[in-house]
Amino acid sequence: DGGDRPTHVWLGRRSRTKPTWPMLLDCVAAGGIAAGQSVSSAMARECLEEAGIPPDVSAGLRPVGGVSYTGFNEDGWGIKSDVLFTFDLQLPASFQPVAVDGEMEEFMLMPVEQVASLLASSPDQHFKPNVGVVLIDFLIRYGFVAPDEVGYIELLGALRSGTRLAHGREPL
């Protein structure tokens, strides 16, 4: 426990049988939002389906914002813009995520410094492509990336530069 600043992050390793980005590190839970479903209920559903996080624990989900990006689609031949809603969830020290639906091979509790080091050195070899933007946002929000660092403002802008909002409105 580092006070208000996390010392470790749970990550999942994608299943070796996943057709996209097998065996790369990923968020513990993520996924699509079904028609008519709220963002928060979709996140709670994904927590249960992917990592066995029961509703009494996922009730602690805290929405913390979102990131957007433009990148290559899964086959590498097209461009895709995406918005990812981000949540924090402090898991009890006694809780260990469990691969439930077969999308994850395993879960690991990794020191934040190690996560940052992997992101800085060779993210493409370690992480599913869109996970980097989520983790960089986490590192900024918790002060692991300082505002005095070169490129800080550009990094902030890049985390929210990917798409327009519904109905053509520009992001705030």
Side-chain angles (χ1 to χ4, degrees):
D1 181 14
D4 289 340
R5 188 168 149 159
T7 59
H8 290 74
V9 176
W10 278 104
L11 295 172
R13 183 169 304 283
R14 293 169 65 83
S15 170
R16 65 184 74 246
T17 61
K18 288 283 289 181
T20 55
W21 306 293
M23 299 303 290
L24 292 181
L25 296 174
D26 201 346
C27 295
V28 168
I33 303 167
Q37 187 174 41
S38 72
V39 174
S40 294
S41 65
M43 188 69 243
R45 174 183 47 81
E46 292 291 344
C47 283
L48 183 61
E49 289 177 2
E50 292 186 7
I53 300 171
D56 63 314
V57 175
S58 67
L61 280 166
R62 189 170 59 96
V64 294
V67 295
S68 62
Y69 67 95
T70 300
F72 289 105
N73 63 8
E74 288 141 8
D75 63 13
W77 286 97
I79 300 289
K80 159 184 152 164
S81 294
D82 209 354
V83 173
L84 305 175
F85 294 96
T86 53
F87 290 80
D88 283 352
L89 177 62
Q90 184 171 351
L91 293 172
S94 61
F95 184 83
Q96 168 128 12
V98 182
V100 175
D101 64 3
E103 291 194 26
M104 294 293 181
E105 191 85 11
E106 64 180 339
F107 292 96
M108 62 200 73
L109 188 59
M110 189 176 289
V112 172
E113 291 79 13
Q114 184 179 357
V115 172
S117 177
L118 290 174
L119 282 168
S121 63
S122 51
D124 293 344
Q125 293 176 10
H126 299 286
F127 296 97
K128 178 183 161 200
N130 65 359
V131 173
V133 294
V134 173
L135 291 171
I136 291 167
D137 179 67
F138 170 85
L139 294 170
I140 289 171
R141 286 187 294 105
Y142 283 101
F144 291 98
V145 180
D148 295 333
E149 293 187 44
V150 173
Y152 181 83
I153 295 296
E154 293 79 7
L155 186 57
L156 287 177
L159 290 173
R160 288 158 185 86
S161 65
T163 64
R164 298 170 65 91
L165 298 175
H167 310 295
R169 295 182 324 203
E170 292 296 325
L172 299 174

